[in-house]
Amino acid sequence: MEEKQKIFPPGFLWGGAVAANQAEGAWQADGKGDSVADHITAGTKTSPRRFTEQIRPEENYPSHEAIDFYHRYEEDIALFAEMGFKVFRISIAWTRIFPKGDEISPNRAGIAYYRKVFETCKKYGIEPLVTLSHYEMPYYLCEHYGGWTNRQTIAFFLRYCETVFREYQDLVHYWLTFNEMNTLVSRFGTLLAGGILPEDGEDLFGRKRLGSPETVAEKSRRFTALHHQFLAGAQAVKMAHEINPENKVGCMLSAAGVYPYTCSPEDVLEAQAQMERSNWLCGDVCVRGAYPYFAERFFRENGVQIRKEAGDDEILKNGKVDFLSFSYYSSRCATADPKVIQTAGNMMLGVPNPYLEASEWGWIIDPKGLRYLLNELYGRYQIPLMVVENGLGAVDRVTEDGQIHDDYRIAYLSEHIRQMWEAVNDGVELLGYTPWGCIDLISASTGEMKKRYGFIYVDKDDEGKGTLERKKKDSFAWYRECIRTNGASVLSTNKKRINYDKKTG
Ligand code: BG6
């Protein structure tokens, strides 16, 4: 019997993703206030990014210029359109709309800017998918209100949401609340997701403190901040629906499958506990509208006390998301054995998997893990899913004739697309795919430029030098063909073997 052609479902949303603080630059243009990202220096794989209270002239803060998307959005969106994007995931910098965060009236220049961006998308038939908060909280709110630990922040956030929901109701219908809100479940998300400031000069992820156990008070503050985001997210969902019933609002998780390192029951239980904490806790609150059954014991045993108020449960119940979106870069292993080494991976710690390779930055590469996760998520929630980040951060070389042959990226993405297709055929309802950093941008974890994800190369180095000129990589034409054929061009080709971490020789 002749085999049916493999293809994605009609209307599948192919596209790409960026975040304001990693792409826009123009950090003080047209009345923008500084965000928490503007206070984080550049780093490298081995020397962490640092937070500084004041902007120091001798330091390099990559968000200040980034790739200057702010001034080049027309050129960039035209290139996305040339690839055939159906959707473009972008975030609004809250500080362009409310520079300090607690103002009563918005900054009209910021509003006008995003209108132009969304109108440009519309001109090309590209649907904007807008993240309301992507690691770029107004710094003023962090400094003066304690970030998300303060319940007042909810009202400020909702004022911002109402403003953008109303302003862009003719242009935007897909929204995401908080980028990777589940990073707040661990200490890594304290600053970027929670807006809880560390000491001046401390590293981005508070690694200095990671050697010492987190106090019960610190933990409670972190989970209170998360609770406030749950409330804010739920109310934003409700508000978005009231303002425009066409709005679809999703939550966004940093998702990773957690495998037991061995089949010992201890490792299996540890893996299960990690799945619960890192994926299901936030997923359950946003999708099911209530904390999961295991949360109570987890909080009790860790001494976590969340500052809840009467009526909070009702708020959560009334603001369930329409779809669940997530970033996917890695899976990880879990073990109850403290002797097994830890490795890096999408800002979380994990145990190396002897069956899998890693990227040059040590992120474990696991395309089949995406199929596994899609099935796990869909099995649990039964609502549409969307992969809104995925990709290979790698060093690219420009050849003498100005080409960038990124076959390793093509191989990486192809494998993930094949596994997404398998999941769709398993029965998972998948709305779309927006690979991360569709144009090269600043790395969130290291602040580097050389950790590139894009189909489009940006001429800029880690010191900030370069013309910012855009060049198409080989993956540009490859992705255009993938979109044109709705995945068929990728699904009909065979897997190409790449040794990821050795690729640069
Ligand atoms: C996700 C973030 O964790 O991973 C993005 O949402 C980030 O902001 C992406 O850029 C890739 O991480 P990195 O550190 O390679 O930029």
Side-chain angles (χ1 to χ4, degrees), residues 145-162:
Y145 292 87
W148 280 100
T149 62
N150 192 326
R151 203 173 165 108
Q152 272 181 283
T153 298
I154 301 174
F156 301 141
F157 179 74
L158 291 173
R159 189 180 296 151
Y160 154 65
C161 290
E162 182 170 0

Side-chain angles (χ1 to χ4, degrees), residues 343-488:
T343 187
N346 198 18
M347 306 187 191
M348 306 277 188
L349 287 178
V351 176
N353 185 327
Y355 298 96
L356 299 171
E357 287 180 272
S359 77
E360 290 164 82
W361 271 263
W363 290 23
I364 286 167
I365 298 169
D366 181 12
K368 291 200 172 92
L370 178 54
R371 177 181 181 185
Y372 168 73
L373 193 64
L374 281 163
N375 276 283
E376 286 292 299
L377 287 164
Y378 193 66
R380 189 174 183 97
Y381 298 126
Q382 309 272 306
I383 63 168
L385 304 178
M386 191 158 178
V387 180
V388 294
E389 285 187 32
N390 173 236
L392 180 69
V395 175
D396 289 328
R397 293 241 161 81
V398 184
T399 56
E400 271 173 23
D401 57 348
Q403 307 291 305
I404 299 112
H405 302 302
D406 55 342
D407 54 333
Y408 36 88
R409 183 167 294 108
I410 294 173
Y412 176 102
L413 294 170
S414 297
E415 270 313 289
H416 285 80
I417 289 171
R418 289 188 190 110
Q419 294 304 319
M420 275 189 329
W421 183 83
E422 293 291 346
V424 168
N425 278 276
D426 292 333
V428 170
E429 197 180 341
L430 185 62
L431 296 175
Y433 180 57
T434 58
W436 177 247
C438 45
I439 178 164
D440 291 347
L441 39 59
I442 302 296
S443 155
S445 58
T446 66
E448 292 166 303
M449 224 10 249
K450 72 165 183 269
K451 190 179 185 192
R452 296 172 184 274
Y453 288 87
F455 305 112
I456 301 163
Y457 184 89
V458 176
D459 179 31
K460 180 171 175 171
D461 66 17
D462 287 345
E463 279 72 54
K465 294 193 208 88
T467 60
L468 292 171
E469 189 199 337
R470 277 60 170 153
K471 285 185 207 298
K472 296 171 193 172
K473 304 182 193 176
D474 285 359
S475 55
F476 186 99
W478 165 85
Y479 195 44
R480 184 177 55 202
E481 190 57 9
C482 168
I483 297 177
R484 193 188 66 77
T485 60
N486 200 13

